[in-house]
Amino acid sequence: GQNIDQPTEMTATEGAIVQINCTYQTSGFNGLFWYQQHAGEAPTFLSYNVLDGLEEKGRFSSFLSRSKGYSYLLLKELQMKDSASYLCVIMDSNYQLIWGAGTKLIIKP
Amino acid sequence: GAVVSQHPSWVICKSGTSVKIECRSLDFQATTMFWYRQFPKQSLMLMATSNEGSKATYEQGVEKDKFLINHASLTLSTLTVTSAHPEDSSFYICSARERTDYEQYFGPGTRLTVT
């Protein structure tokens, strides 16, 4: 079957670093996305990994290990506006997106 | 970057009526468009995938006669919720993909409330 696991909720402090983990089991793999979604809004693209390793983009980095079925999103220098849900999404062998349930990140001052 | 618009952004309708939601790709040709539904505190659920000029492919459990999807051009897809009921109240989001691009570009979403 297809399964994506990520924590339901995480809390972090403004200015700190937080890592959101995602493990997956899917039929085929054509890449992993991380999306950010603020309440009541559509998701916005953060990152795409298809090869193993770390992709860095400003304050956000995403890591992928295909052999372990594992990814993480690393957020540095947290800001209050980073409070949102973070969705781990797999593109399967048919190029369809399979969505994780999302991790609600709460940033405290 | 690529922009996708949706109209309306929110709509309230009475039970039994039909509602049409438009999804447009503004600066690219969307060969494939996707329609998602999201209930509160839940992840996005794919309803259907439509390729320009062909019939939409619906996910299991989605009634094709209730959720009519038309993708008549490379820049426009419409979702019509027919005979809407209160349980159809949800956040409907479309996304679009160019032929050569892996990324899906999301519209801002349409919040539907059926009274």
Side-chain angles (χ1 to χ4, degrees), chain A residues 33-107:
Chain A
F33 297 82
W34 283 96
Y35 282 88
Q36 180 192 61
Q37 186 178 25
H38 286 99
E41 298 181 12
T44 54
F45 171 82
L46 291 179
S47 67
Y48 172 69
N49 294 66
V50 67
L51 299 176
D52 289 351
L54 186 68
E55 295 278 344
E56 297 185 77
K57 191 185 293 185
R59 294 189 298 116
F60 294 1
S61 303
S62 57
F63 171 83
L64 174 67
S65 169
R66 289 172 297 170
S67 62
K68 295 182 179 178
Y70 168 69
S71 173
Y72 68 72
L73 178 69
L74 190 72
L75 293 78
K76 302 177 185 177
E77 301 170 18
L78 287 170
Q79 302 174 11
M80 297 304 293
K81 67 178 182 178
D82 297 330
S83 292
S85 286
Y86 291 85
L87 301 158
C88 175
V89 189
I90 304 295
M91 180 178 285
D92 69 10
S93 54
N94 295 316
Y95 296 93
Q96 299 281 45
L97 296 186
I98 305 166
W99 294 78
T103 298
K104 183 178 180 181
L105 178 63
I106 300 169
I107 310 296

Side-chain angles (χ1 to χ4, degrees), chain A residues 33 35 37 39-45 48 87 91 94-97 99-102 104, chain B residues 34 36 38 41-44 46 49 59 91 93 97 102-109 111:
Chain A
F33 297 82
Y35 282 88
Q37 186 178 25
E41 298 181 12
T44 54
F45 171 82
Y48 172 69
L87 301 158
M91 180 178 285
N94 295 316
Y95 296 93
Q96 299 281 45
L97 296 186
W99 294 78
K104 183 178 180 181
Chain B
F34 304 85
Y36 294 88
Q38 186 177 34
K41 299 184 180 181
Q42 295 186 25
S43 189
L44 278 72
L46 179 65
T49 303
E59 295 299 301
F91 192 44
I93 306 172
R97 187 174 70 195
Y102 60 77
E103 185 177 347
Q104 292 185 18
Y105 304 98
F106 286 87
R111 187 161 301 282

Side-chain angles (χ1 to χ4, degrees), chain A residues 2-43:
Chain A
Q2 316 221 79
N3 192 49
I4 299 176
D5 286 318
Q6 51 182 131
T8 304
E9 187 173 297
M10 298 181 71
T11 303
T13 305
E14 189 177 15
I17 299 173
V18 70
Q19 177 174 311
I20 303 174
N21 295 323
C22 170
T23 58
Y24 63 89
Q25 289 180 308
T26 55
S27 56
F29 181 84
N30 273 307
L32 184 147
F33 297 82
W34 283 96
Y35 282 88
Q36 180 192 61
Q37 186 178 25
H38 286 99
E41 298 181 12

Side-chain angles (χ1 to χ4, degrees), chain B residues 1 10 25 35 43 47 49 55 62 69 73 78 92 97 103:
Chain B
W10 60 270
S25 57
W35 286 96
S43 189
M47 298 176 67
T49 303
K55 289 185 179 181
V62 178
I69 292 172
S73 78
T78 60
Y92 291 87
R97 187 174 70 195
E103 185 177 347

Side-chain angles (χ1 to χ4, degrees), chain B residues 12-91:
Chain B
I12 301 173
C13 71
K14 292 187 176 181
S15 187
T17 62
S18 295
V19 174
K20 180 184 283 188
I21 303 170
E22 291 187 350
C23 176
R24 293 181 185 273
S25 57
L26 299 185
D27 50 3
F28 67 99
Q29 293 187 326
T31 53
T32 306
M33 285 187 166
F34 304 85
W35 286 96
Y36 294 88
R37 179 168 52 183
Q38 186 177 34
F39 293 105
K41 299 184 180 181
Q42 295 186 25
S43 189
L44 278 72
M45 296 296 294
L46 179 65
M47 298 176 67
T49 303
S50 72
N51 293 298
E52 184 263 339
S54 60
K55 289 185 179 181
T57 301
Y58 289 81
E59 295 299 301
Q60 195 170 12
V62 178
E63 301 173 58
K64 59 182 66 175
D65 294 331
K66 180 172 180 63
F67 299 98
L68 303 179
I69 292 172
N70 183 283
H71 190 171
S73 78
L74 284 171
T75 60
L76 173 65
S77 177
T78 60
L79 166 67
T80 301
V81 183
T82 63
S83 186
H85 290 285
E87 56 264 32
D88 298 324
S89 298
S90 186
F91 192 44

